[in-house]
Amino acid sequence: MKVLVSITIFGLLAAFIAGERCQGAADCTLETCASGSFIGCTQGICTCLTERRCRGLRDCYGLPACPDQDASWHCFDNVCKCIDI
């Protein structure tokens, strides 16, 4: 039983350490995210994010294209959102 627990813990640690490294979201080629979220680079590791906080439009630069082709990123209520204006 101790061996099984040790193997499980080691596997989880190895998966965490081996996470895809990045300098920006464009580096995250192996990551896939559920709908409603997008790929982001947080503290050098690729991750799925549900929202990006912002103070202005500049904070929303670099996000993936909006799902709706007529929409674009805007800073609305301090959150980057795809809006068709």
Side-chain angles (χ1 to χ4, degrees):
M1 184 67 172
K2 288 182 181 181
V3 172
L4 181 60
V5 171
S6 297
I7 291 172
T8 302
I9 291 172
F10 178 75
L12 291 173
L13 286 173
F16 178 74
I17 292 169
E20 190 175 4
R21 302 281 179 189
C22 59
Q23 292 181 344
D27 298 335
C28 303
T29 57
L30 301 176
E31 194 79 25
T32 56
C33 297
S35 64
S37 63
F38 60 92
I39 298 171
C41 181
T42 305
Q43 297 180 350
I45 296 182
C46 297
T47 188
C48 293
L49 304 171
T50 55
E51 67 178 32
R52 177 180 269 182
R53 306 295 292 165
C54 59
R55 291 186 179 173
L57 180 59
R58 183 176 296 245
D59 296 330
C60 301
Y61 291 168
L63 293 174
C66 294
D68 179 0
Q69 292 181 346
D70 295 328
S72 59
W73 287 103
H74 296 275
C75 184
F76 186 75
D77 290 338
N78 295 326
V79 175
C80 295
K81 296 182 180 184
C82 282
I83 301 174
D84 182 7
I85 295 179

